[in-house]
Structure formats: C-alpha cells, structure tokens
Amino acid sequence: MSTAFTLDLTKSFELALEKVSIDLDNIPEMAVKVALDLSGSMSTLYPRWVQNALDKFIIAAMKFDDDGALQVGFFNNEMEITREATEEDVGSYINNVNVRPYGGTSFFPILKEFVGNTEGSK
C-alpha cells in the first residue's frame, strides 16, 4: 500500500484523537491486539472490508502499542494467532496471511488467549 495512504490514515487517526482531547504527546503504551471473525458468515466481507477495518487497527497500534505492532488473531471453530501486523501491512495483511472464512463462530478461546484467564468473572 502506498505511503500516502498510510500517512492519510495516520493523520485522520491523530485528528480523531485530538477531537476527543487526547494528548498525542502523552499516549500510554500498551499491547494492542485484534481478534477477527473468520467464520463462514464473514465470507462476503473478506478481504476488502476486513482489511479496511484492520488498517485502522494497525494505525492505532502504531500510536499506542509498546512496539508499534498489532497482534492479530482469527477465530471461527478454531483460533489462530498470526504474525504481527506493522505499518508495511496496511492494505495487504489479509491477503498476505492467506486466510479464508469458513466454519462457525467460537470467540471465547481467542478472547481467553488475548485477555487471559477469565475464570471467576461473569
């Protein structure tokens, strides 16, 4: 994807943060992760729509994540953690990891993996 497109997304993201009075110089660092539905019902939304949404998460990770990368996972009947997404993946991550929607939806395993043990919580 072009550098201009990435820059445009980054600028839009920064403007959105400023609109809600988030100080860009004091953004806390954190681990940014996204879990994407890869079930069969999502088949018409891959790769274009999901890539567009993922691009926004990549840009957010560039600002918020402690190492500037986005941890990505997919779920359907199974769960798969794929390689991290970086600035170079804007516009191309979904095609590059070659995922195809199929199966049902079981989101608990990936949430457990990303968030941790939720035993005892409601």
Side-chain angles (χ1 to χ4, degrees), residues 33 108-122:
K33 303 173 183 183
F108 183 74
I110 199 160
L111 291 179
K112 187 174 178 183
E113 176 71 25
F114 275 176
V115 178
N117 189 342
T118 58
E119 187 177 310
S121 64
K122 296 183 180 190

Side-chain angles (χ1 to χ4, degrees), residues 1 6 8 15-16 38 42 46 50 68 74 78 86 91-92 94 111 120:
M1 189 54 59
T6 302
D8 184 51
L15 289 172
L38 193 62
M42 295 289 289
Y46 274 83
V50 175
F74 295 90
E78 302 169 357
T86 63
S92 62
I94 298 297
L111 291 179

Side-chain angles (χ1 to χ4, degrees), residues 6 9-14 17 24 27-34 53-71 85-87 90:
T6 302
L9 281 177
T10 302
K11 195 63 173 166
S12 296
F13 181 71
E14 289 173 354
L17 292 176
L24 295 174
I27 295 175
E29 289 187 348
M30 59 192 80
V32 180
K33 303 173 183 183
V34 65
L54 184 60
D55 288 344
K56 292 168 180 58
F57 279 94
I58 294 170
I59 297 301
M62 289 168 51
K63 288 285 182 196
F64 290 111
D65 194 83
D66 52 3
D67 67 359
L70 175 66
Q71 188 173 356
T86 63
E87 180 178 1
V90 171

Side-chain angles (χ1 to χ4, degrees), residues 2 4 6 27 36 38 41 44 46-48 55-56 63-64 72 75 77 79 84 88-89 96 99 108 116:
S2 76
T6 302
I27 295 175
L36 300 169
L38 193 62
S41 63
T44 60
Y46 274 83
R48 186 172 172 239
D55 288 344
K56 292 168 180 58
K63 288 285 182 196
F64 290 111
V72 181
F75 65 92
N77 297 94
M79 158 190 92
E84 290 184 326
E88 293 77 29
D89 292 307
N96 290 342
V99 293
F108 183 74

